[in-house]
Amino acid sequence: LKIEKSDIQTLQQVTEASSVQISEVITKTNVLYKEIVESLIKQDLPALQTDKKLIKKLQKELNSTNSSLYDFIRNLDDSSVKGSRYYIQSLGYLQDIVENLGVISSNVLDHVDNNHKALKPNQANDLAIIVEKLGQWYAKINDVYKRQEFSKIDDIIQEKNDLQEINNEFLDKQIERIRTSENSPKNAKLYFSILLETNELISSTFKLLRLHKEFETFRNTNK
């Protein structure tokens, strides 16, 4: 979503533009994360190459928005200037989310491209659970921003810990497998990298939600 400097002047317009942008990025991130994991399980190299291109396109769109910030700030009315800080910070967190996704994509693509061993069934099952749980969380986030029902953000923030606990549990399981039975270092390295970067993805999303909670408090006191 590219900011047009003539379109956004008031605090309400800042909120609407930010919500549309967040909803778009969260939706695309959710779809791409799922596709990357599924393509890794299937060892589908062309699909992974396509996903990487789509992530680069998303990064480019966010960078383009960043380039428009100067004109955007110049055009705001006086009452909206303080609120614009939240917009700029939210853009930074969106860039972090897409960057986290990009790291996962690159690691998976390199693994499959170099013909390293496929995931073991228990690893594939664990990642499928994460895809499902992350997907449910992202669907709720998308719904909040689409409808601009920001009173629900608190409940969604609470779910972040549950997601990371599942992720950490799978990290522990993988450590145990290495100690007892696993004999594929490249495979384990990739699996760890996916889980660790997924934790970062969840954290970046959480920071975005926490920021928006602060923004809502600011908006309500500046009505």
Side-chain angles (χ1 to χ4, degrees):
L1 174 78
K2 194 167 192 303
I3 301 172
E4 296 299 337
K5 63 176 179 177
S6 58
D7 292 346
I8 303 174
Q9 297 174 340
T10 67
L11 193 57
Q12 180 57 31
Q13 287 170 326
V14 170
T15 306
E16 286 166 6
S18 179
S19 296
V20 170
Q21 186 176 48
I22 290 166
S23 175
E24 282 181 7
V25 173
I26 289 293
T27 300
K28 287 176 181 176
T29 300
N30 196 12
V31 169
L32 286 164
Y33 185 92
K34 185 175 188 232
E35 283 183 5
I36 290 164
V37 172
E38 287 177 353
S39 299
L40 169 62
I41 292 167
K42 294 175 193 164
Q43 297 279 284
D44 187 343
L45 184 60
L48 289 169
Q49 288 167 332
T50 300
D51 290 334
K52 186 162 187 181
K53 283 177 189 167
L54 289 170
I55 292 167
K56 286 202 170 205
K57 187 182 173 202
L58 190 51
Q59 285 172 323
K60 200 172 172 186
E61 285 169 9
L62 287 171
N63 288 337
S64 171
T65 303
N66 217 346
S67 302
S68 307
L69 285 175
Y70 178 83
D71 288 332
F72 158 66
I73 292 164
R74 295 268 298 180
N75 203 50
L76 288 169
D77 65 26
D78 290 344
S79 65
S80 304
V81 170
K82 276 190 178 175
S84 67
R85 173 170 65 83
Y86 292 98
Y87 188 101
I88 293 161
Q89 285 177 299
S90 78
L91 177 60
Y93 289 135
L94 288 177
Q95 287 175 311
D96 290 343
I97 288 167
V98 177
E99 192 176 312
N100 299 140
L101 187 66
V103 171
I104 294 168
S105 168
S106 293
N107 290 341
V108 170
L109 180 58
D110 287 347
H111 185 89
V112 175
D113 199 19
N114 286 304
N115 295 311
H116 295 314
K117 286 184 181 176
L119 290 180
K120 294 192 158 63
N122 47 17
Q123 292 173 320
N125 290 338
D126 289 352
L127 287 183
I129 289 168
I130 292 202
V131 164
E132 184 188 356
K133 299 288 184 191
L134 187 70
Q136 289 167 354
W137 194 51
Y138 269 8
K140 288 178 188 175
I141 294 169
N142 181 41
D143 199 49
V144 160
Y145 284 101
K146 252 190 165 170
R147 298 170 189 268
Q148 294 187 36
E149 293 178 347
F150 302 119
S151 59
K152 295 181 179 176
I153 279 185
D154 269 341
D155 294 337
I156 295 171
I157 283 175
Q158 295 302 319
E159 291 181 36
K160 171 249 186 189
N161 290 337
D162 296 337
L163 258 178
Q164 288 193 314
E165 271 178 34
I166 292 166
N167 219 24
N168 292 336
E169 182 189 316
F170 291 154
L171 281 166
D172 290 341
K173 275 168 70 176
Q174 179 61 30
I175 290 165
E176 188 57 34
R177 284 195 290 259
I178 289 171
R179 290 177 59 79
T180 55
S181 59
E182 195 117 338
N183 59 0
S184 174
K186 298 270 190 214
N187 178 295
K189 182 185 172 191
L190 175 71
Y191 185 75
F192 278 137
S193 77
I194 294 170
L195 291 180
L196 291 170
E197 205 60 39
T198 299
N199 257 339
E200 291 299 316
L201 181 73
I202 294 165
S203 291
S204 298
T205 308
F206 164 72
K207 287 173 188 170
L208 178 71
L209 294 169
R210 190 178 59 190
L211 174 74
H212 214 106
K213 191 182 166 189
E214 288 171 18
F215 180 48
E216 274 310 288
T217 305
F218 169 82
R219 261 206 337 149
N220 291 332
T221 54
N222 285 271
K223 278 182 176 174

